[in-house]
Amino acid sequence: MPARFELNGVFLSGPTYKVGLMLALAGEAFDYVHVNLMAGEHKQPPYLAKQRYGQVPLLVDRNNGRHLCQSAAILEYLADTLGKFGGATLDERLQTREWLYWDFDRLAPSIYRSRGIRLGFMKGGEESLELCAANAASAIKTLDGHLAGRNWIVGESPTIADIDVSGVLVYAAEAAVDLTPYANVSAWIGRFEALPGFKRPTDLLPPESRAAA
Ligand SMILES: N[C@@H](CCC(=O)N[C@@H](CS)C(=O)NCC(=O)O)C(=O)O
């Protein structure tokens, strides 16, 4: 029987991973469909009809036919619809949303870019890598300060803020960013990775789709 959710994505894609991670932590099985970016499948009309931005991920909720785009918006949708990881109060939900915006503004660009350049699927030289390293360090310092005396980014239990931010930091090593100087961040990652259902990118998406990525 098909799962409720169908995740369309690419093995190496951080935003695809984030959505899969949310589903795994929420205990929701999902079907995975590889989108052939190399062949430009994401820019063809049949895919664009489902994902207006021509990007991965795309999540289909088969319970209601919704086609959902933008990983942070998808996390919010899943938190709402599954009643998990959304924050306990309105204030927590607002703070959670703040961190999602912060992530895509301050943290994710430098980690993704540095990783992309190092893995060879983005262009950029030494200057770009230096800028990424400085921006990443500044963002991680902010996070480390915020996590002092806290177990989770918002409230008393994990939320989509933790999923979103850790879903980027999981690529820190590939981006040549060393997290060990950030004690609060390192401890929080340890707590996060101990959550039931947690999987690293290499364990989450079907390995056979890696060759195609
Ligand atoms: N803000 C988007 C970013 C998605 C994104 O950058 N996807 C990349 C793969 S990681 C993609 O589809 N690239 C192909 C393209 O933009 O043409 C999200 O969070 O979902």
Side-chain angles (χ1 to χ4, degrees):
M1 187 177 137
R4 172 176 174 184
F5 294 104
E6 178 192 283
L7 174 59
N8 295 249
V10 169
F11 190 86
L12 291 171
S13 153
T16 301
Y17 167 67
K18 261 190 224 175
V19 174
L21 177 62
M22 168 80 183
L23 290 166
L25 291 168
E28 285 288 330
F30 61 92
D31 296 323
Y32 179 70
V33 177
H34 171 68
V35 180
N36 193 340
L37 298 195
M38 300 287 193
E41 186 188 341
H42 57 314
K43 303 298 180 198
Q44 299 304 313
Y47 186 79
L48 286 171
K50 297 183 279 188
Q51 217 283 12
R52 73 183 98 242
Y53 307 106
Q55 290 188 310
V56 292
L58 157 70
L59 186 75
V60 182
D61 183 345
R62 290 179 175 138
N63 272 10
N64 51 37
R66 280 200 174 92
H67 289 69
L68 301 138
C69 320
Q70 294 292 341
S71 60
I74 298 173
L75 295 193
E76 289 200 68
Y77 173 76
L78 289 172
D80 282 350
T81 197
L82 300 175
K84 292 180 182 169
F85 303 114
T89 62
L90 174 61
D91 283 320
E92 285 191 14
R93 285 194 288 282
L94 291 172
Q95 285 168 39
T96 295
R97 192 172 295 157
E98 248 179 49
W99 281 97
L100 301 187
Y101 285 107
W102 173 85
D103 183 1
F104 228 83
D105 178 33
R106 296 279 119 178
L107 178 68
S110 52
I111 301 280
Y112 286 163
R113 185 155 183 80
S114 172
R115 171 179 180 251
I117 293 170
R118 286 166 202 283
L119 295 184
F121 52 79
M122 276 185 185
K123 288 194 172 62
E126 211 40 56
E127 217 174 293
S128 307
L129 288 172
E130 277 169 23
L131 184 62
C132 288
N135 289 344
S138 162
I140 296 164
K141 196 171 160 215
T142 300
L143 179 65
D144 199 60
H146 176 75
L147 283 169
R150 293 171 196 269
N151 283 334
W152 306 106
I153 294 179
V154 174
E156 300 303 319
S157 51
T159 65
I160 51 174
D162 300 283
I163 297 171
D164 200 75
V165 174
S166 76
V168 170
L169 285 181
V170 77
Y171 299 107
E174 288 182 0
V177 172
D178 180 13
L179 295 177
T180 49
Y182 305 98
N184 301 322
V185 168
S186 300
W188 162 77
I189 288 176
R191 280 189 292 280
F192 186 81
E193 295 193 352
L195 290 174
F198 172 82
K199 287 184 179 167
R200 297 188 68 78
T202 39
D203 303 321
L204 185 71
L205 303 175
E208 60 275 16
S209 70
R210 182 177 199 146

